[in-house]
Amino acid sequence: MSVIQETEEAPAAAGTTRARVQELTSLRAAVVAGPGEKATSAQKARGKLTVRERLDILFDEGSFVEIEGLRRHRATGFGLEDRRPHTDGVVTGWGTVDGRPVFAYAHDFRIFGGALGEAHAQKIHKLMDLAESAGAPVVGLCDGAGARIQEGVTALAGYGGIFRRNVRNSGVIPQISVIMGPCAGGAAYSPALTDFVFMVRGTSQMFITGPDVVQAVTGEQITHDDLGGADVHAERSGVAGFVYDNEECCLRDVRHLLSFLPSNNRETPPGGPTCDPSDRRVEALVDLVPADPNQAYDMTKVIEEIADHGEFFEVHERWAPNVICALTRMGGEVVGVVANQPQRMAGVLDIEASEKAARFVQMCDAFNIPLVTLVDVPGFLPGVDQEHGGVIRHGAKLLYAYCNATVPRVQLILRKAYGGAYIVMDSRSIGTDVSLAWPINEIAVMGAEGAAGVVFRRQIAQADDPEAMRARLVKEYKEELMHPYYAAERGLVDDVIDPADTRSVLIRTLSVLRSKHAPLPSRKHGNQPQ
């Protein structure tokens, strides 16, 4: 009889190593199964997957390795001494995503509502420290009810340890937060400190104070979703970069995002050969963008034409849509694209667009992702609300981010580029490596109509036919100061290119800049605008 047959037919004798192994196997199976069918059914009734199902989708099949699965809390009082489930409500470990190592922690709402206590926090601390040491991304699957009230200040200190590690690892390893349930109070600050936030409609909410507190303090009545649901954070607050209708799609796109990111700030993003020719001419661009600077078009169509296979992954698609921030590949290499969107608010820069773009530029710079800036901007949005809201301060964030970036940077002016917005959108004067333009470009302090009204106001007013005089002076201003080669003649644009050559020129330019080295002055850190 074989050893295997003997094991299957009869239990090993008590006290033997084989008996201990059988005990361990049974214990691990119980840990993976979780707290019971009733708790699992309740989780499913909320429209949510279990913690193990989520990890199975996130990681390559069979690759997840759990650590501290047998951890239990040691708190007493309020009945906690009689409730000591394994994992303490959070599963931690690592696995691979498309063959690359990734670390993750995932709250188990079935245990203490995923609330954070001392042991729970220590598991996350250890996981984050391991990820830092290994130089690999961290993904947090958040589905917890905040601090474990029964453990008092110990639980709060646990959050502090997470925040400190979030900040220490910022710009060092990619950090991704996936909100898959409640995330309230202090718990909401950890996702806010990470690089990307994903949310799921109907099941995830984030807020500092919940609806009950809001009503008690202000008298306002509001639902959980209306206060901190996925759509609110995707469209109004800008907290969520990505929103999905279900958890499966959400987790698959987390995997997709990771494919654009390096494992850490010492590496370059994963690249490789592509079957989309680098020298492909894009004739469609000649007709896609109208020469009339006041006519709208969809900038995403431009990005589709120049990206490998027309694919790109947009960040914060629904917040500040007048600027586009997207990750894509050109010639097989990852590129970050910042672009004005003439289809929304004429592509102006405002407070939210400046913040969105600045954050994206900083992320790309931190993780060695080259930047391509597509410019078609009429200026900053005028208005009392913008000025009083601090458009100066917020616009300066984008300026600071570009000036501070050391990755390869290429600016392409498609059409209009007016005023301070032209400077802020990575112009030569603030350090872009190469500035290109199409032959329909207009670079000036302001549009010709407005400029003529300011510069020639007296002549127009005194003319016998003011409108005819205005038209003549506008034409003269355009011919003198806004013709497509004016900036190129002064070295502020490196070349004016055929739109059909855009893809090949960008790829060749980025290729030669790949070895760029631009050290910053020695300093502790800059003091960027807030």
Side-chain angles (χ1 to χ4, degrees), residues 80-202:
L80 283 179
E81 64 272 16
D82 300 321
R83 298 177 60 201
R84 300 181 63 233
H86 293 291
T87 76
D88 199 46
V90 63
V91 178
T92 56
W94 65 82
T96 59
V97 174
D98 294 328
R100 300 165 62 215
V102 173
F103 288 72
Y105 64 88
H107 299 136
D108 191 343
F109 193 80
R110 299 172 300 171
I111 298 175
F112 297 127
L116 181 139
E118 179 189 31
H120 184 124
Q122 289 176 350
K123 289 180 65 175
I124 297 174
H125 296 168
K126 178 181 286 186
L127 187 283
M128 296 177 76
D129 290 342
L130 283 171
E132 180 185 353
S133 297
V138 171
V139 177
L141 305 184
C142 305
D143 186 6
R148 195 174 299 168
I149 298 173
Q150 301 95 316
E151 295 195 32
V153 69
T154 306
L156 296 178
Y159 275 125
I162 294 173
F163 303 156
R164 180 163 56 88
R165 288 166 173 83
N166 285 141
V167 174
R168 189 174 69 202
N169 291 331
S170 180
V172 178
I173 54 175
Q175 299 179 79
I176 299 173
S177 297
V178 190
I179 314 303
M180 315 197 88
C183 185
Y189 282 115
S190 178
L193 291 169
T194 59
D195 300 302
F196 301 96
V197 177
F198 289 70
M199 293 187 75
V200 181
R201 289 187 184 90

Side-chain angles (χ1 to χ4, degrees), residues 312-337:
F312 64 93
F313 193 47
E314 189 169 352
V315 182
H316 286 294
E317 180 179 359
R318 296 166 60 194
W319 182 59
N322 42 316
V323 70
I324 298 168
C325 297
L327 293 167
T328 187
R329 286 183 172 83
M330 294 184 189
E333 301 296 332
V334 176
V335 176
V337 176

Side-chain angles (χ1 to χ4, degrees), residues 58-60 63-64 94-104 134-139 173-174 176 254-265 267-271 329 334 367 369:
L58 176 63
F59 288 108
D60 297 339
S63 69
F64 182 66
W94 65 82
T96 59
V97 174
D98 294 328
R100 300 165 62 215
V102 173
F103 288 72
V138 171
V139 177
I173 54 175
I176 299 173
V254 173
R255 290 175 57 93
H256 186 47
L257 173 62
L258 286 166
S259 73
F260 289 102
L261 303 175
S263 293
N264 56 67
N265 65 341
E267 299 181 5
T268 56
R329 286 183 172 83
V334 176
F367 295 115
I369 300 173

Side-chain angles (χ1 to χ4, degrees), residues 28 112 147 179 184 235 296 440 521:
R28 288 194 185 282
F112 297 127
I179 314 303
E235 296 176 7
I440 56 173

Side-chain angles (χ1 to χ4, degrees), residues 55-69:
L55 292 169
D56 285 344
I57 296 172
L58 176 63
F59 288 108
D60 297 339
E61 185 176 356
S63 69
F64 182 66
V65 177
E66 184 173 359
I67 57 171
E68 294 206 1

Side-chain angles (χ1 to χ4, degrees), residues 8-47:
E8 291 174 346
E9 292 176 3
T16 65
T17 301
R18 191 171 300 282
R20 291 300 188 189
V21 171
Q22 289 178 350
E23 179 185 8
L24 174 62
T25 301
S26 298
L27 180 57
R28 288 194 185 282
V31 169
V32 171
E37 186 58 38
K38 183 178 179 181
T40 300
S41 297
Q43 178 82 347
K44 296 289 188 179
R46 298 184 186 98

Side-chain angles (χ1 to χ4, degrees), residues 173-253:
I173 54 175
Q175 299 179 79
I176 299 173
S177 297
V178 190
I179 314 303
M180 315 197 88
C183 185
Y189 282 115
S190 178
L193 291 169
T194 59
D195 300 302
F196 301 96
V197 177
F198 289 70
M199 293 187 75
V200 181
R201 289 187 184 90
T203 56
S204 60
Q205 301 93 30
M206 293 178 69
F207 36 70
I208 300 300
T209 54
D212 294 341
V213 176
V214 169
Q215 183 176 357
V217 174
T218 70
E220 298 173 279
Q221 291 187 336
I222 192 168
T223 66
H224 287 80
D225 260 354
D226 288 340
L227 180 63
D231 289 320
V232 169
H233 287 307
E235 296 176 7
R236 301 185 64 181
S237 73
V239 170
F242 310 92
V243 172
Y244 300 87
D245 289 326
N246 59 70
E247 295 186 6
E248 292 89 341
C249 290
C250 178
L251 290 167
R252 290 192 185 100
D253 261 8

